[in-house]
Amino acid sequence: AISARNESLEDTMETIVKTVGLTKRFGRKLAVNGVSITLERGDVYGFLGQNGAGKTTTIRMMMGLLRPTEGRVLLFGEEMRPGKYAHYNRIGSVIEQAGFYPNLTAAENLEIHRRLMGVTNRNYLDEALELTGMADVRNKKVKDFSLGMRQRLGISRALLHKPELIVLDEPTNGLDPVGIKEIRRLIVELSEKRKVTVFVSSHILSEIQQIATRIGIIHEGVLLEEIGYEQLRQKNRSYIELRVDDDRQAAFLLETELHVADYRVTEPGVIRIYERLDDSAAINKALSAKGLKVSGLSLANETLEDYFLKLTGSAFRIGE
């Protein structure tokens, strides 16, 4: 029954964006190398990578702003080619810092773009401001806006034509914790209440961890993995974290006295044990009996940071 249900769910999935072997070279520099991404309707897709990993270059190719050296981009099932922009009106995006006329109000700026975009329903402007929490400042001049307010106004503009997909490149860059929280709330609301599919890039683990249903990890231009967040959670392992005064002696005793094979020394004096999780008291007793000083012993889970560290070999930024 479970298998049949999963097959049914797969049958109803609709691919919104698919890239196949997307590659971009700038002279001798290979900025993006064979990136294949699949974004399904309803996803909040977190595109995670350090600064310079190739996130923005990939997004610009997806959006037709940059021609790939190799590879293909399919939007809503149709391959995009130079001069072919049929499906881009179904997408909203904030790829670079949003530019507005500083001496005009929020509403005046959006009115200009509403006309340029050919949006005939004026109510869409009010709805976009309401959705992003900007309705109360609609008559305030943009020159008086904070960076966070400008970002939300940029998202308002991207939502003017009621897109099915919105692409946000580092939307919380430079924001304070309050601004970051507001953008997170907005992304979740877009997905859950407005049923907008969201593609959001970031170099901050906690940002992606809190909002994404699916994650793509890019490192040095290569997509290392694409995984659902629930799958990712299942991959993260439980372990006993052991803190001792001599990790080399502790490791020797773990192997010879307790027959523990699945362990790892993560830093001086700290060992993670991935087996015998119910035997922490026995482990403590055995090590102490051999004269080792055990200063800490606790049960924990590997974090998203641990997982990316294993994949990339380098640490990501954790918080704001």
Side-chain angles (χ1 to χ4, degrees):
I2 293 174
S3 176
R5 181 172 178 268
N6 288 339
E7 287 177 6
S8 174
L9 286 171
E10 289 176 5
D11 290 341
T12 60
M13 282 185 177
E14 180 187 353
T15 300
I16 301 295
V17 178
K18 187 176 183 67
T19 72
V20 182
L22 209 56
T23 299
K24 185 63 182 179
R25 293 184 180 88
F26 295 102
R28 294 184 178 181
K29 182 182 178 182
L30 186 59
V32 173
N33 185 7
V35 168
S36 296
I37 288 171
T38 302
L39 176 62
E40 305 287 355
R41 185 176 294 280
D43 278 344
V44 176
Y45 190 110
F47 195 38
L48 184 62
Q50 295 169 314
N51 290 329
K55 301 188 301 296
T56 299
T57 301
T58 301
I59 289 172
R60 290 178 68 82
M61 288 190 285
M62 280 172 48
M63 296 300 297
L65 300 173
L66 189 64
R67 184 175 296 187
T69 306
E70 299 171 26
R72 300 181 296 144
V73 178
L74 291 89
L75 298 180
F76 302 95
E78 187 172 346
E79 185 171 349
M80 295 295 97
R81 300 183 185 279
K84 188 175 184 179
Y85 307 106
H87 291 293
Y88 285 109
N89 61 356
R90 301 167 71 179
I91 303 173
S93 64
V94 182
I95 297 177
E96 296 176 343
Q97 188 171 344
F100 294 101
Y101 296 105
N103 289 317
L104 297 182
T105 67
E108 288 168 343
N109 269 283
L110 290 194
E111 177 62 16
I112 290 171
H113 288 283
R114 183 188 69 81
R115 294 181 181 183
L116 287 173
M117 295 166 70
V119 177
T120 56
N121 191 331
R122 294 188 177 185
N123 291 331
Y124 285 11
L125 189 155
D126 297 327
E127 291 176 22
L129 288 170
E130 187 70 36
L131 179 58
T132 56
M134 298 293 287
D136 291 342
V137 294
R138 60 178 295 133
N139 296 318
K140 186 175 181 178
K141 290 184 178 181
V142 171
K143 68 178 181 179
D144 298 321
F145 280 8
S146 66
L147 181 58
M149 292 168 71
R150 287 174 183 262
Q151 273 295 68
R152 283 189 285 148
L153 187 59
I155 297 173
S156 300
R157 183 171 65 189
L159 295 171
L160 265 178
H161 57 299
K162 290 189 179 292
E164 298 168 55
L165 165 67
I166 186 163
V167 177
L168 305 173
D169 186 19
E170 296 275 8
T172 62
N173 230 5
L175 300 188
D176 60 21
V178 174
I180 290 172
K181 187 175 181 180
E182 289 173 348
I183 297 297
R184 284 186 193 139
R185 175 200 60 78
L186 176 56
I187 290 171
V188 171
E189 185 169 340
L190 285 172
S191 172
E192 294 182 353
K193 296 184 179 179
R194 305 294 172 136
K195 307 305 178 185
V196 177
T197 302
V198 182
F199 184 97
V200 55
S201 78
S202 180
H203 62 281
I204 304 176
L205 282 178
S206 61
E207 178 182 314
I208 294 301
Q209 187 173 7
Q210 292 183 50
I211 60 175
T213 59
R214 189 167 177 80
I215 296 171
I217 307 154
I218 188 170
H219 184 65
E220 296 181 351
V222 177
L223 190 73
L224 298 181
E225 186 158 17
E226 196 176 54
I227 187 170
Y229 186 67
E230 285 304 315
Q231 292 174 287
L232 183 60
R233 285 209 318 167
Q234 290 170 16
K235 279 193 173 188
N236 290 348
R237 303 168 68 191
S238 296
Y239 61 90
I240 295 171
E241 182 167 280
L242 179 67
R243 294 183 176 271
V244 292
D245 59 339
D246 186 340
D247 54 65
R248 293 183 66 182
Q249 179 66 11
F252 175 77
L253 291 172
L254 286 173
E255 292 184 21
T256 58
E257 299 287 330
L258 297 164
H259 308 293
V260 171
D262 193 1
Y263 71 88
R264 181 162 61 96
V265 179
T266 58
E267 58 183 279
V270 181
I271 301 176
R272 289 185 180 180
I273 303 170
Y274 295 99
E275 57 181 286
R276 298 187 61 173
L277 301 183
D278 296 328
D279 291 341
S280 57
I283 291 170
N284 185 25
K285 183 178 179 181
L287 295 180
S288 298
K290 295 293 182 177
L292 278 172
K293 182 179 179 181
V294 179
S295 58
L297 193 149
S298 59
L299 189 63
N301 286 87
E302 286 190 329
T303 65
L304 194 54
E305 182 195 7
D306 296 320
Y307 185 74
F308 290 125
L309 183 59
K310 284 189 289 187
L311 278 181
T312 66
S314 59
F316 277 70
R317 189 174 167 193
I318 303 171
E320 293 85 21

